[in-house]
Amino acid sequence: MASGQADPYDDDAGDDSPANDGLSKKGLLNRRSYLKFGAAAVGTVAASSLASQTSAAVDRYGVSFDTVLDAVDDLGMDPTGSSPIDDALDKAYGDGVLIEFPAGEYLIEWTHYFDEGVNRFGMVGTGDSPEAVTFTFPEGDTKAARHRDYNENQFGWVDHPYLEMFMVVEGADHVLANFSVQQDEVTGSRITVTIDDGLHIEDVQFLGFNPTIDHAPGVNIRPNISSRNGTGVVRNFVCTGGGVEDVYPHRKVGTLTGQAHYGELKFEEFHVENMGSHPIYASNSNGCIRVENSVFKNNDNTNIRISGRHPDKQSWVKNCTVVVDIDNAKHLPDGEAYQGARGIRSDYGDDVLIENVDMSILSGPPAAYGIGIQHNQGDAGSDARSTVIRDSRVRCDVDGYIPIEGQPNDGHLEIDTVSVTGSGDYRYDAGIVVRKRPATITNSCVQVDGSGMDGVYLKDVDDCSISDTNINVDGKATVFDNASVTTNNITYSDSCPVPATDTSGSGSPDGGTSGDGSTGLDRTLTVVSEKESLVEYLVEIEGEADAITDGDYPGGDYDDVSTTGGVTTIDGVTSDGRGDSWAFSGRIQTFEVTGQATVYVDGTQTPIADVALEPEEQLSIDSGEDGLIEYSFTVDGPVEAVTDGEDPAGDYDDVTTDGSLHTVDGVTSYGRGDTWLFGGEMTEFTATGDGSVALNGTEVEVAALPLGRQLVIDARGTSDTVNYDVTVSGVLAADASEGGSDGSDNVSGSGVEGAVSDAVDAYQFSGDITAITVDGDATVYVDDEVLDPSSIGPTLDHELKVVADSETVTDYTFTVEGSVEPITDGEFAGGDWDDVTTDGDLTTVDGVTSNTGGDRWKFGGRIVDFTLEADGSVYLDGTQVDPAKLGTSDAAAFPHSIVFDGTETAGSCDYRFSVSGSVAKSPDLGTIEAGDDIEDGDITGSVTDDLDGFRFSGHLTGLDLDGAADLEFE
């Protein structure tokens, strides 16, 4: 707001406040009709009588007072609200005077304006809470015509038809504390204090519905510190009773600080809900504003509006929670509506810090943004300080917002350690938007899953950088429109932290304590029935068990427990939403249930089929003598670290749980190793670095994990020995969960020669069975289906494609354990200039292609060696792979891609990027051009009305763009 303009918030609606059950709708005590004070007790106090009411100096809230006056006993004020206190208040106001208000209701009928420059004055309630001392006003402010207001922008006087209960425009050291102000739909007032120093407002509540400006001033509290070195605080301001009526700017504001403020003001421990407009309007001031440790919920317009213009002190918002959930707002009159609630708006200032803010935008009409740095916020001078958003979390599930927006300005914006999450359809289609403003984004995380939503949108910026940031989105990770941006270490698959909320409870049952107080039962089992369902269950535990007799679901009342041979059996029943809880040791070997039930094992909801699943598979990861191996795997079942033996796990490893899924992220080095036990199916495995991996004692290639398939040779009921020989195209290892194999079976990694008699041998494998012989009476199962061994023959079920770069002749050689044939039809037909040789089970191809041409081959078995002599792209079964890793134990597929899209932008865009791993051009993502250069992990190129695409491993270590292009990470 420019100097000289009228202040719209003299005409604005404000915050809501808590209802007061002890007051009638109009704010008068319910007992007023029979509790009256006599005239002698309520008489007006003469000025000369105050001189005798003195006492020793006292300190209140850091201010020393010479005279303490009891509002009732010394000043004769009526604590029933029947007679006004105006004359007594005016006469008592003076230097060093503290008025203490006993519990009661005090009627104010006119504005109290003070410009005498008084120092050290206070009004403090002595009740047990702010609600115990309440100031009330004539219904509809019937004597408001006596009010004249101060216009701080014009520094003059203007007529204003509203009652102001306390207005000070000059002085120092004023205390207002521990009382409430009663309002309703047609009655309200305001507190205004503009002093040099020492303002202290604490434990002041505005009760009831906040009226519109047709019935009251547009603000509840209007504090200003007029001297540059002065300070003040407004602490524990509460207003929750509603105020959404009419439209902006006719609604009341909670607190307003304007151009008369030059010092420092702290707003601490606010609790404001359901207001019709800004709980804190503190922009366009000339001083320092600091908002701390406060909660704002369902307030329309902007929850916190802040600026910073103090030459020596930074303004900030710290440790605050902002919630916009309009579908669950309270005190909303029929026919009224919210217009759009923003979280934090920073404007009309040089620098502001926003730190440790949790913001959740869950429901309601669209608004401009969650956090907005306005076009008039910032300074590009040589001594300018940045506007900073740090250590904060913003969730936005509402369409039409921008979670974080930096609007055009030359001032620098810093976004550090910030998380943006949500599912909205945002303006500019991005979670973070910065336009025409220098900015840095570091150590942050963007995970927005709205359809087509991008991560970061930068437009018309010359000095921006993004580093050490995860961007996990449905659309493009970054969009650079006429932007010069440097990037470093961008990832795009991690989950992001979400804001803290007011909700509590973990969603899992309280374990309670076992009936006999046993301490050795360190595991828990809880069975909860669905509504209107009878649940019967049988549990066999290799160990001890006892009912948990307290907590959410006490067990044992109708259940039978017996123990035989070290196995404890529980035969239980529960029904109709109730449940049973048990403490136990050991493992669950059997779990059977009838009826609809939810089961928790060790506090985690567990699928019924997995309750008796125990970790029996062994996974071993060993590093090389001088190397380091980092690994990650996920199983749908339990996981345990083996903490003894030669290769104990867990010291530097993390285990995370998502339902029945357990993910291990581990590392080991310099000849050491990790060993894990798991149950269920391994769904994912990755590893980088030097080392080896073994599954149930069989070394396997990393690329083959997870194995995912099962082979069972069932010879039960047969006394004769059954011999078998199996070869797979991938990797094979014993399956301990189904009995595995005994030590006489020879597992080679890609096959097994074994024997079985009146028992079952089981294996996990990847790929396909390429050969199998079974000599004897046994049934063979593959993935639970019966297999006829005679039906298995050699198959060519894999495809390899090699594509040459532009203006390049590319020679290649590969060897497979199996057969190879050229694909002679379609694009990239192979075999014309290529040689195929066979040596036993090995087939080798020596091929050549050139100038964006290519060859395709089909083969069976696995690739054991691959060499690429010049630049080119290699695809295995349709997936682009790193040629250097084909034929090795490392995962060959490139995990990441980057595309530079110049098809929808004008002009040319030059780019340069670098990666920590390998990189190759991707003809399926863009054009292959001779001018795009790859050298030692550094890539340079340009796009003009076309696309360039690359795939790579590792992570981005640098990125620069000169010109306009869309950029997409995956």
Side-chain angles (χ1 to χ4, degrees):
M1 175 165 33
S3 177
Q5 290 181 329
D7 179 0
Y9 283 92
D10 276 343
D11 299 323
D12 197 5
D15 226 351
D16 51 35
S17 56
N20 186 348
D21 293 338
L23 298 174
S24 67
K25 180 178 179 182
K26 301 307 179 185
L28 305 181
L29 288 175
N30 294 330
R31 68 180 186 275
R32 177 181 299 173
S33 59
Y34 62 86
L35 181 59
K36 301 284 186 180
F37 269 44
V42 187
T44 302
V45 179
S48 61
S49 70
L50 301 182
S52 63
Q53 307 299 327
T54 61
S55 62
V58 298
D59 289 337
R60 294 288 188 273
Y61 302 95
V63 177
S64 179
F65 298 96
D66 304 319
T67 302
V68 179
L69 301 173
D70 185 287
V72 177
D73 293 342
D74 296 331
L75 300 179
M77 293 183 181
D78 177 9
T80 71
S82 299
S83 300
I85 67 168
D86 300 275
D87 283 333
L89 179 58
D90 280 348
K91 292 173 181 177
Y93 181 78
D95 290 315
V97 174
L98 171 64
I99 304 176
E100 292 187 335
F101 289 81
E105 180 179 315
Y106 299 88
L107 175 63
I108 294 178
E109 289 192 340
W110 67 67
T111 286
H112 294 268
Y113 163 71
F114 304 108
D115 62 354
E116 294 92 340
V118 164
N119 295 326
R120 298 180 297 114
F121 175 80
M123 295 171 59
V124 177
T126 61
D128 294 336
S129 67
E131 295 94 330
V133 176
T134 305
F135 292 99
T136 62
F137 314 94
E139 182 176 338
D141 291 347
T142 57
K143 296 189 178 182
R146 302 177 63 177
H147 175 60
R148 293 172 62 83
D149 195 7
Y150 176 71
N151 187 316
E152 65 181 29
N153 293 318
Q154 298 178 1
F155 297 96
W157 290 102
V158 294
D159 291 330
H160 200 311
Y162 302 129
L163 188 155
E164 184 128 18
M165 64 171 286
F166 189 75
M167 183 175 187
V168 178
V169 297
E170 188 176 351
D173 295 328
H174 279 52
V175 175
L176 305 174
N178 199 38
F179 61 78
S180 59
V181 177
Q182 182 64 48
Q183 307 181 111
D184 61 30
E185 292 83 349
V186 296
T187 306
S189 188
R190 176 170 73 181
I191 298 171
T192 296
V193 184
T194 300
I195 58 177
D196 290 340
D197 190 14
L199 173 61
H200 195 108
I201 301 175
E202 183 164 348
D203 294 325
V204 172
Q205 299 188 9
F206 274 67
L207 308 175
F209 193 88
N210 290 272
T212 66
I213 63 170
D214 293 331
H215 303 287
V219 182
N220 285 334
I221 301 177
R222 190 169 188 168
N224 295 293
I225 300 298
S226 56
S227 67
R228 182 61 78 191
N229 296 323
T231 63
V233 63
V234 182
R235 179 179 295 130
N236 197 22
F237 167 67
V238 177
C239 189
T240 61
V244 177
E245 185 178 10
D246 205 335
V247 296
Y248 172 86
H250 300 287
R251 300 171 180 173
K252 207 175 188 189
V253 170
T255 61
L256 172 64
T257 298
Q259 291 185 348
H261 172 61
Y262 285 85
E264 174 191 322
L265 264 175
K266 290 184 177 180
F267 298 97
E268 299 177 347
E269 300 175 31
F270 276 38
H271 182 186
V272 183
E273 296 189 30
N274 314 310
M275 285 207 73
S277 196
H278 313 75
I280 295 179
Y281 190 133
S283 63
N284 202 21
S285 78
N286 290 297
C288 171
I289 302 294
R290 293 178 172 176
V291 183
E292 300 177 0
N293 305 314
S294 296
V295 175
F296 306 91
K297 185 174 182 180
N298 293 336
N299 304 296
D300 211 4
N301 208 331
T302 303
N303 282 268
I304 305 171
R305 187 166 175 175
I306 186 173
S307 66
R309 286 181 178 169
H310 198 286
D312 304 316
K313 297 181 178 180
Q314 185 180 41
S315 294
W316 61 53
V317 178
K318 289 187 179 183
N319 309 322
C320 291
T321 298
V322 178
V323 177
V324 178
D325 189 9
I326 306 307
D327 290 351
N328 294 298
K330 299 177 181 179
H331 308 299
L332 181 64
D334 292 341
E336 302 294 342
Y338 282 76
Q339 295 179 278
R342 293 168 292 201
I344 299 175
R345 170 174 173 164
S346 178
D347 57 358
Y348 293 105
D350 299 332
D351 71 316
V352 164
L353 169 64
I354 299 170
E355 183 176 72
N356 194 28
V357 168
D358 286 293
M359 182 177 298
S360 300
I361 302 171
L362 307 177
S363 66
Y369 43 68
I371 298 177
I373 311 303
Q374 291 282 121
H375 63 90
N376 47 18
Q377 169 67 35
D379 182 4
S382 59
D383 297 327
R385 296 170 290 188
S386 297
T387 299
V388 180
I389 308 172
R390 183 166 63 207
D391 295 333
S392 296
R393 295 144 297 279
V394 179
R395 171 186 172 184
C396 183
D397 295 338
V398 179
D399 296 345
Y401 277 81
I402 301 173
I404 296 179
E405 180 182 18
Q407 296 181 0
N409 186 283
D410 291 335
H412 186 261
L413 172 61
E414 177 183 336
I415 299 174
D416 178 29
T417 319
V418 172
S419 174
V420 176
T421 57
S423 58
D425 185 0
Y426 307 137
R427 290 190 303 121
Y428 291 96
D429 297 331
I432 297 176
V433 175
V434 180
R435 296 174 291 124
K436 294 183 179 180
R437 177 189 287 268
T440 58
I441 301 173
T442 58
N443 301 309
S444 294
C445 195
V446 181
Q447 184 183 17
V448 293
D449 53 13
S451 177
M453 290 298 100
D454 303 324
V456 178
Y457 175 71
L458 304 178
K459 177 178 175 61
D460 298 328
V461 297
D462 295 325
D463 184 17
C464 284
S465 66
I466 307 174
S467 62
D468 301 316
T469 292
N470 177 74
I471 306 175
N472 183 357
V473 296
D474 181 69
K476 300 174 182 178
T478 58
V479 178
F480 300 154
D481 185 355
N482 190 32
S484 176
V485 183
T486 301
T487 70
N488 179 47
N489 193 23
I490 307 296
T491 59
Y492 24 76
S493 59
D494 296 338
S495 297
C496 299
V498 297
T501 65
D502 294 333
T503 58
S504 60
S506 64
S508 61
D510 177 12
T513 57
S514 59
D516 64 358
S518 300
T519 59
L521 308 181
D522 55 356
R523 304 188 63 188
T524 61
L525 170 69
T526 301
V527 181
V528 181
S529 65
E530 299 293 333
K531 289 289 187 182
E532 301 180 0
S533 177
L534 174 68
V535 172
E536 297 177 302
Y537 59 93
L538 176 69
V539 188
E540 293 180 341
I541 298 171
E542 290 182 353
E544 298 179 353
D546 191 21
I548 296 173
T549 55
D550 57 4
D552 295 334
Y553 301 107
D557 287 345
Y558 301 99
D559 313 311
D560 295 325
V561 181
S562 60
T563 301
T564 304
V567 175
T568 301
T569 300
I570 303 171
D571 192 350
V573 61
T574 187
S575 64
D576 197 28
R578 293 181 290 269
D580 293 341
S581 295
W582 301 89
F584 70 95
S585 61
R587 75 179 188 94
I588 300 173
Q589 66 176 23
T590 302
F591 184 82
E592 299 173 358
V593 64
T594 60
Q596 300 297 313
T598 302
V599 181
Y600 300 85
V601 178
D602 298 330
T604 299
Q605 185 173 337
T606 303
I608 291 174
D610 293 344
V611 171
L613 192 62
E614 294 294 330
E616 297 177 321
E617 308 285 348
Q618 179 174 294
L619 180 69
S620 301
I621 299 98
D622 292 304
S623 64
E625 289 297 328
D626 298 319
L628 177 146
I629 182 169
E630 295 178 289
Y631 60 91
S632 176
F633 67 93
T634 300
V635 298
D636 190 359
V639 172
E640 289 182 7
V642 177
T643 56
D644 54 5
E646 294 183 358
D647 295 320
D651 286 344
Y652 301 98
D653 314 314
D654 295 322
V655 180
T656 56
T657 301
D658 182 8
S660 62
L661 296 177
H662 292 76
T663 297
V664 175
D665 293 298
V667 60
T668 187
S669 62
Y670 296 108
R672 294 183 291 269
D674 290 344
T675 303
W676 298 87
L677 296 176
F678 68 92
E681 179 184 357
M682 181 184 292
T683 61
E684 183 177 358
F685 186 95
T686 59
T688 59
D690 298 327
S692 62
V693 179
L695 181 63
N696 296 322
T698 300
E699 185 170 339
V700 296
E701 295 181 4
V702 171
L705 292 174
L707 300 182
R709 306 192 66 186
Q710 185 183 65
L711 168 68
V712 175
I713 300 168
D714 187 353
R716 287 176 294 184
T718 301
S719 58
D720 296 333
T721 298
V722 176
N723 297 297
Y724 57 87
D725 189 349
V726 181
T727 303
V728 300
S729 61
V731 176
L732 179 144
D735 187 348
S737 67
E738 296 292 339
S741 65
D742 59 33
S744 65
D745 303 321
N746 181 20
V747 180
S748 65
S750 60
V752 58
E753 294 182 25
V756 60
S757 176
D758 196 22
V760 173
D761 281 356
Y763 302 90
Q764 302 175 58
F765 70 97
S766 62
D768 298 309
I769 295 177
T770 58
I772 181 171
T773 59
V774 178
D775 184 10
D777 187 8
T779 303
V780 179
Y781 296 89
V782 175
D783 300 331
D784 295 326
E785 298 288 338
V786 175
L787 172 70
D788 179 2
S790 64
S791 67
I792 298 298
T795 58
L796 305 179
D797 51 0
H798 298 291
E799 178 181 307
L800 182 71
K801 179 173 68 175
V802 181
V803 181
D805 276 6
S806 177
E807 302 179 11
T808 301
V809 177
T810 300
D811 294 299
Y812 61 92
T813 301
F814 69 94
T815 300
V816 301
E817 286 182 341
S819 301
V820 180
E821 293 181 5
I823 299 175
T824 57
D825 57 352
E827 187 180 19
F828 303 129
D832 289 343
W833 308 98
D834 312 311
D835 296 325
V836 180
T837 59
T838 302
D839 182 7
D841 293 336
L842 300 178
T843 303
T844 299
V845 175
D846 291 301
V848 62
T849 186
S850 63
N851 195 26
T852 71
D855 294 339
R856 290 188 298 139
W857 300 87
K858 58 183 178 180
F859 66 94
R862 66 188 184 93
I863 296 175
V864 297
D865 185 68
F866 187 92
T867 303
L868 190 69
E869 298 293 343
D871 290 338
S873 306
V874 182
Y875 294 79
L876 178 62
D877 295 331
T879 299
Q880 189 173 5
V881 295
D882 183 352
K885 292 183 178 179
L886 272 181
T888 73
S889 61
D890 293 333
F894 282 118
H896 311 304
S897 66
I898 184 171
V899 176
F900 300 89
D901 185 354
T903 59
E904 297 183 2
T905 55
S908 176
C909 177
D910 297 324
Y911 60 84
R912 177 175 181 173
F913 71 98
S914 57
V915 299
S916 63
S918 301
V919 62
K921 298 177 184 179
S922 301
D924 61 308
L925 297 179
T927 57
I928 298 179
E929 300 169 333
D932 300 334
D933 183 59
I934 300 176
E935 184 174 354
D936 297 329
D938 290 322
I939 303 91
T940 57
S942 64
V943 287
T944 305
D945 295 327
D946 63 347
L947 299 92
D948 286 353
F950 302 84
R951 288 189 172 89
F952 64 94
S953 60
H955 56 264
L956 283 174
T957 57
L959 174 63
D960 292 292
L961 295 179
D962 185 8
D966 291 334
L967 182 63
E968 182 173 352
F969 290 106
E970 185 175 309

